[in-house]
Amino acid sequence: MHLRLLLPSLSMLVLLPIARPATAPTTLPVEDRVRDLLSRMTLEEKVGQLVQYSGRDTLTGPGSQAELVPLIKAGGAGSMLNVHGAAKTREWQKLAVESSRLHIPMLFALDVVHGCRTIFPIPLGTAASWDLGAIEQAERIAAIEASATGIHWTFAPMVDIARDPRWGRIAESAGEDPFLGSTIARARVRGFQTDRLGAPGTILACAKHFAAYGAVQAGRDYFTTDVTERVLRDVYFPPFRAAVDAGVATFMAGFNDLDGTPCTANAFLLDRVLRGEWGFRGFVISDWQGISEMLEHGNVADLRDAARQSFLAGLDVDMEAQGYEKHLAELVRSGAVPVARLDAAVGAVLAAKFRLGLFEDPYRNCDEAQEKALLFAPAHREAARDLARRSAVLLKNNGVLPLKAGGITVAVVGPLADSAGDQLGCWSGLGERSEVVTLRAALAEAFPGARLRYAQGCLTTGDDTSGFAAARQAAAGADVIVAALGETANQSGESTSRASLDLSGPQLALLRELHATGKPVVLLLMAGRPLLLEAVDPLVDAILVGWHPGSMGGPGLADVLTGAYNPSGKLPVTWPRSVGQIPLFYAHKNSGRPTPTDPEGKYFSHYIDTPNTPRFRFGFGLSYTTFAYDSLRLSAPVLQPGGPALIVTARVRNAGARAGEEVVQLYVRDRVGSVTRPVRELKGFEKIALAAGESREVSFRLAPADLAFCRADMTFGPEPGAFDVFVGGDSNAALSAPFTLTAP
Ligand code: GLC
């Protein structure tokens, strides 16, 4: 038992016995310390480590969760969700450490999805930056802030591939592509954990929602998914595998049933693939009440069976369903669940706590001074501003942008122009609306006094057009109109599926009013997904997608609008023309009739009422300069297994009058496979900066493993044959060359 000085608020030094977990010496390997502690735990204490509840921040007083106190005192909750704050987590931690028999500390978890207190653009937005360094730095900052406020574990990164913008959670994803999604998954895990998990400012990351949650039928959240194993392996698994390879500490199972079995109890996912094939050694938590939701799914008769099936499938921790608290001990006693399986699950949770140093210092993240110094620190705000401008995607510009700073008057109009809460987007962590700098406030810096006019105009819902008059008035006195439209934060994220992707409410009507003034109109779209622009495009002279840009989104977007920053974002999702085209993505199959097979041009894969092509392509984004590609060359016409990698080189030139950044993209087509193959697949990218007139050669390495896929016999690997490479600034890259992969 160690004694420690407590610095109390009572201006006297008090020597109090502080309970310390009785564990084996810290010099021993974690595995030995885990084994030692397990050997001294009762069955109930082991089960307690696999139980997580959500806290409401108070343990005493009205509205408190006093009912949890005896459970925590008995070591019955291994972790808590939604309890945060240096002081609050200390209060809850003291209860667990000082009252329980073995003084095992709790983990405190929170959804730190795109920032903790300093909120970055939503993940779909930061994915549009294609800037892995900036993305990793954002998660680093998020982890530093989260650990400073008592958090040990974030439920992020969300790495679901999302190809259906009806699904509101596309906002939390990195978009449609397995290669881009995998590189971003690695960057996010590194940002949260670094390669020294347990060092100050590091937290456990959590790859979610395993798996194929983004494939919900009809884009309806929580709905069923039916994906072939081949598509699982080629499309939905890669970002999760990348997270495992990056050392992600935990996984979360998806809500969806997959091929008839809910992910929560899906042994193919949680045992055969995650542990058997990928060697994952962390632990898996259910999503909120995922275990009890199986009663609705209809694959279990009661909560006991749900707990049994989930646990045996490989689900370690029960979030909020009470399934493990009520039934796991009895299941073990009855022999329905082997003790070895229980010890493996509990051991993984304890190992994480040992790795975080919580047994040496359960209060290491409970320092109010650190909390005050680090949350929303100036450097963090600047990083959020920088990533907000890097995430913006310019889709159209007839020359109205950048806004001419000298002397013009700007009208900023729309429901998203001055809406702090909406700018934060979904899953906004501990973001404070009062700390948000809105677009209106930022533009007021660039266009001071009477040179900025504002009107809300309307909401994103309802049919109230009474604000149009003020909008017309604001526009009348302006040279340029910036229309900030889109969707609010509560129209995005979890449980916000939409059957229509049109601008909601009276927004389109407002845009028509603004267009009718004859003034140039810049659409600044703030949303958590692609929204349809067919009716919008003729009404606007420019389209800038700002996503939900976070705490410093206003200054970041103003930097783009004024030209202080040259936009460099590229779409991480395909932008459809209509809901009827969904799911629409660039890496599609060719079909047997990609083009007309008859003189009338009737018989081929198409719609009779809309083109097959998207409104905007995956990987597309404009700049205030232009980039030209030429001189594509390959190091050899043949790639031989075991031989040197194929080097693909192209020259990129900044052909415009100002410096800019370009995301150079490499795509590959496998001409013939044992199964049909996509018409293109992203296999590399590099974001480069070029001065006006500057040229640079960009090279990519291709090895046979980069061409691997799930073959007809369900093995994973490349196949010899003819391929094409394409290099360019989006998924329509025209510069191409053939090569051959030879047989091993
Ligand atoms: C939610 C989400 C999940 C989140 C969890 C805890 O329902 O599906 O992404 O991490 O509950 O808040």
Side-chain angles (χ1 to χ4, degrees):
M1 183 79 76
H2 301 264
L3 296 185
R4 191 174 94 164
L5 290 186
L6 257 188
L7 298 179
S9 56
L10 302 179
S11 71
M12 57 183 278
L13 287 186
V14 178
L15 284 179
L16 281 180
I18 294 295
R20 273 278 178 273
T23 61
T26 55
T27 51
L28 287 178
V30 165
E31 292 71 25
D32 296 347
R33 300 182 74 191
V34 166
R35 198 176 305 112
D36 164 69
L37 187 49
L38 276 173
S39 68
R40 289 181 280 122
M41 294 173 76
T42 66
L43 174 55
E44 281 69 20
E45 286 166 337
K46 289 180 181 178
V47 170
Q49 290 302 306
L50 307 180
V51 170
Q52 178 179 103
Y53 286 109
S54 177
R56 284 193 302 274
D57 261 4
T58 54
L59 273 172
T60 55
S64 71
Q65 287 172 283
E67 75 283 0
L68 284 180
V69 170
L71 181 84
I72 292 170
K73 280 185 166 182
S79 58
M80 292 300 299
L81 168 60
N82 293 328
V83 175
H84 52 82
K88 285 294 176 194
T89 52
R90 183 191 303 117
E91 177 194 15
W92 286 68
Q93 190 69 295
K94 275 165 69 79
L95 203 57
V97 168
E98 298 189 8
S99 309
S100 63
R101 185 177 73 90
L102 290 171
H103 315 299
I104 299 173
M106 290 196 288
L107 289 169
F108 292 99
L110 185 69
D111 291 278
V112 179
V113 177
H114 55 107
C116 184
R117 173 75 167 270
T118 305
I119 304 302
F120 290 85
I122 54 172
L124 189 62
T126 52
S129 76
W130 295 57
D131 189 327
L132 300 176
I135 289 169
E136 182 175 342
Q137 183 202 31
E139 305 304 13
R140 189 88 291 283
I141 289 170
I144 288 167
E145 292 193 352
S147 56
T149 194
I151 300 304
H152 306 116
W153 180 14
T154 177
F155 293 143
M158 187 272 217
V159 301
D160 299 301
I161 292 295
R163 295 179 161 181
D164 189 335
R166 293 172 297 180
W167 186 52
R169 305 201 75 167
I170 193 171
E172 305 169 50
S173 79
E176 73 183 53
D177 184 71
F179 183 89
L180 179 62
S182 298
T183 54
I184 289 177
R186 279 190 287 271
R188 294 197 194 281
V189 170
R190 278 196 309 268
F192 288 128
Q193 297 186 171
T194 73
D195 54 7
R196 294 176 51 240
L197 181 58
T202 61
I203 56 176
L204 304 174
C206 179
K208 70 182 186 182
H209 307 78
F210 195 48
Y213 182 22
V216 283
Q217 237 168 57
R220 255 173 57 200
D221 205 359
Y222 313 122
F223 206 15
T224 187
T225 55
D226 214 349
V227 183
T228 64
E229 183 177 340
R230 175 170 288 106
V231 172
L232 273 178
R233 290 182 180 281
D234 284 345
V235 176
Y236 293 96
F237 280 178
F240 287 101
R241 175 64 194 268
V244 171
D245 293 346
V248 73
T250 68
F251 259 56
M252 182 185 290
F255 282 124
N256 52 303
D257 62 322
L258 177 63
D259 189 22
T261 302
C263 296
T264 307
N266 195 308
F268 167 72
L269 291 176
L270 305 182
D271 187 42
R272 181 177 147 197
V273 173
L274 182 58
R275 273 120 170 168
E277 293 180 20
W278 299 350
F280 176 67
R281 299 186 57 212
F283 60 92
V284 182
I285 187 168
S286 70
D287 202 338
W288 186 277
Q289 295 182 348
I291 291 175
S292 49
E293 287 190 1
M294 288 202 288
L295 293 162
E296 290 293 349
H297 276 294
N299 66 308
V300 295
D302 54 36
L303 187 59
R304 179 183 185 279
D305 198 30
R308 184 185 64 80
Q309 286 198 35
S310 302
F311 198 68
L312 290 177
L315 189 97
D316 302 302
V317 178
D318 171 1
M319 183 196 295
E320 273 283 342
Q322 299 187 325
Y324 288 1
E325 181 197 348
K326 288 178 177 173
H327 298 289
L328 192 52
E330 179 271 319
L331 285 165
V332 172
R333 285 201 180 87
S334 70
V337 166
V339 173
R341 167 70 188 111
L342 177 70
D343 286 352
V346 179
V349 174
L350 295 176
K353 295 181 177 182
F354 278 115
R355 289 177 70 188
L356 285 177
L358 292 181
F359 284 94
E360 286 68 42
D361 182 2
Y363 307 107
R364 56 178 292 181
N365 288 2
C366 303
D367 179 336
E368 282 100 323
Q370 278 279 78
E371 183 179 50
K372 185 171 172 46
L374 292 173
L375 266 59
F376 209 59
H380 300 175
R381 297 201 289 268
E382 191 44 45
R385 174 175 183 162
D386 183 54
L387 194 44
R389 55 188 172 216
R390 291 176 176 279
S391 302
V393 182
L394 183 63
L395 296 180
K396 176 182 181 180
N397 183 20
N398 67 5
V400 66
L401 291 179
L403 299 176
K404 310 291 175 282
I408 66 168
T409 296
V410 173
V412 62
V413 176
L416 281 303
D418 196 30
S419 182
D422 293 324
Q423 218 171 271
L424 292 176
C426 63
W427 295 108
S428 55
L430 305 183
E432 294 282 354
R433 294 179 178 207
S434 60
E435 294 171 342
V436 171
V437 183
T438 66
L439 176 66
R440 177 191 182 187
L443 287 174
E445 293 279 316
F447 303 96
R451 291 178 50 216
L452 183 75
R453 302 163 68 86
Y454 164 74
Q456 183 189 49
C458 68
L459 301 176
T460 64
T461 53
D463 56 7
D464 179 0
T465 60
S466 60
F468 283 16
R472 283 193 295 270
Q473 189 181 0
D479 302 299
V480 182
I481 303 162
V482 175
L485 309 174
E487 58 183 5
T488 55
N490 61 24
Q491 288 176 297
S492 172
E494 184 172 356
S495 200
T496 63
S497 295
R498 294 175 62 169
S500 162
L501 297 179
D502 295 320
L503 283 177
S504 54
Q507 296 184 92
L508 184 56
L510 174 64
L511 199 53
R512 289 194 171 107
E513 293 283 321
L514 298 174
H515 174 71
T517 67
K519 305 288 177 70
V521 178
V522 174
L523 170 63
L524 202 162
L525 194 67
M526 288 196 201
R529 69 185 99 197
L531 296 178
L532 300 187
L533 297 172
E534 297 315 284
V536 167
D537 186 61
L539 303 174
V540 300
D541 302 280
I543 300 171
L544 181 68
V545 182
W547 313 103
H548 285 131
S551 307
M552 298 300 285
L557 295 174
D559 289 341
V560 176
L561 291 169
T562 62
Y565 179 78
N566 185 359
S568 62
K570 300 277 189 174
L571 292 178
V573 282
T574 299
W575 202 286
R577 297 175 190 273
S578 79
V579 171
Q581 292 179 301
I582 294 169
L584 180 66
F585 47 92
Y586 84 91
H588 60 76
K589 298 299 185 70
N590 205 28
S591 85
R593 292 191 178 184
T595 54
T597 59
D598 59 296
E600 298 77 35
K602 176 179 173 62
Y603 299 103
F604 69 105
S605 179
H606 76 299
Y607 305 96
I608 60 173
D609 57 358
T610 197
N612 288 355
T613 55
R615 161 54 59 181
F616 296 107
R617 300 180 293 277
F618 174 85
F620 175 76
L622 296 172
S623 167
Y624 292 148
T625 185
T626 53
F627 296 96
Y629 288 76
D630 60 24
S631 312
L632 175 64
R633 66 180 191 277
L634 306 184
S635 54
V638 173
L639 174 60
Q640 292 177 316
L646 182 69
I647 307 301
V648 180
T649 303
R651 189 175 68 137
V652 189
R653 182 167 56 87
N654 180 343
R658 66 170 288 172
E661 293 156 280
E662 171 71 332
V663 180
V664 183
Q665 300 158 49
L666 170 74
Y667 294 86
V668 171
R669 179 172 189 173
D670 183 350
R671 281 275 166 212
V672 178
S674 57
V675 291
T676 54
R677 307 284 296 115
V679 295
R680 288 186 184 206
E681 295 177 286
L682 181 70
K683 292 296 181 185
F685 65 89
E686 185 178 347
K687 188 163 192 174
I688 62 172
L690 292 175
E694 181 186 1
S695 294
R696 186 181 308 168
E697 286 200 335
V698 177
S699 293
F700 299 94
R701 294 181 79 261
L702 274 180
D706 298 317
L707 308 174
F709 64 101
C710 192
R711 296 172 290 204
D713 61 2
M714 296 306 287
T715 60
F716 189 77
E719 289 177 344
F723 291 80
D724 294 313
V725 293
F726 306 85
V727 177
D730 65 50
S731 52
N732 260 19
L735 213 52
S736 71
F739 73 92
T740 302
L741 173 66
T742 61

